[in-house]
Amino acid sequence: MKPEAKFKRDFLKRMHGRWATQLVEDEHSRNVPDIAYADGCRCGWIEAKYMTRPRNADSIWKIRHLTDGQIEFLHRWWKFGAPTWLLIGVGEKKDGVAETLILLPGNRVQDTVGRSYRQYMERSVLNISMNFAPSSVLNVLRYARTPGKLAW
């Protein structure tokens, strides 16, 4: 199993039963985020990526397989009121086992790409251990913004 697929599986397994999710991965869904979610009357999109932790926190961090189209989707849908997120699982090895989660709102992704790991951490709304309480993630997804208004 590829590292990114393993990370997504582990994340969704940890969140199981707390929300409705649908993986969106087919040839007809180019640039659409990996996960559509609903929690109560709140729906949104999450693009999930897995990266290894850089040795130097100040070096440029290039997220593999994050396309311009995906970045544009996250930014555009956020702008029009749909919660969109970039979720990055960070691990020590290329095995898909994440120790840390970084969650960036869709409107911050475009300006964060090409920055250092430290800047990703600073610009995130959530960076926690993978041993997180699922409520920590849900609270951010539920309350981080009011639809239609840019909170950041």
Side-chain angles (χ1 to χ4, degrees):
M1 179 179 286
K2 291 183 179 181
E4 190 171 296
K6 180 177 178 6
F7 163 64
K8 276 189 275 195
R9 187 197 68 195
D10 291 350
F11 173 74
L12 290 173
K13 186 176 172 183
R14 184 118 172 107
M15 298 294 292
H16 181 71
R18 292 171 176 86
W19 60 352
T21 59
Q22 176 67 48
L23 290 177
V24 183
E25 297 176 330
D26 60 51
E27 69 271 7
H28 304 294
S29 304
R30 227 174 90 218
N31 300 326
V32 174
D34 302 316
I35 303 166
Y37 71 88
D39 173 47
C41 47
R42 197 88 186 196
C43 299
W45 298 94
I46 299 172
E47 179 62 38
K49 298 296 182 190
Y50 176 81
M51 295 290 294
T52 54
R53 188 178 324 283
R55 290 190 180 133
N56 178 353
D58 293 316
S59 61
I60 298 301
W61 208 39
K62 175 116 172 98
I63 298 180
R64 291 184 306 273
H65 312 297
L66 181 62
T67 67
D68 289 341
Q70 290 170 326
I71 295 167
E72 175 59 27
F73 184 103
L74 296 172
H75 183 76
R76 184 169 25 93
W77 282 64
W78 181 280
K79 178 179 161 188
F80 286 101
T84 59
W85 309 92
L86 175 61
L87 176 70
I88 307 168
V90 184
E92 297 298 328
K93 300 176 185 168
K94 295 180 181 179
D95 57 5
V97 178
E99 286 102 33
T100 304
L101 292 178
I102 297 174
L103 187 65
L104 282 164
N107 68 319
R108 284 190 182 178
V109 175
Q110 201 167 21
D111 296 333
T112 306
V113 171
R115 293 179 183 257
S116 70
Y117 174 73
R118 184 181 319 278
Q119 289 169 312
Y120 272 85
M121 296 292 277
E122 290 168 356
R123 296 174 65 81
S124 67
V125 292
L126 183 68
N127 55 67
I128 57 175
S129 159
M130 191 60 179
N131 295 324
F132 65 90
S135 60
S136 302
V137 174
L138 288 175
N139 285 339
V140 171
L141 297 178
R142 286 179 187 150
Y143 306 116
R145 69 168 297 185
T146 303
K149 295 182 180 178
L150 296 177
W152 292 283

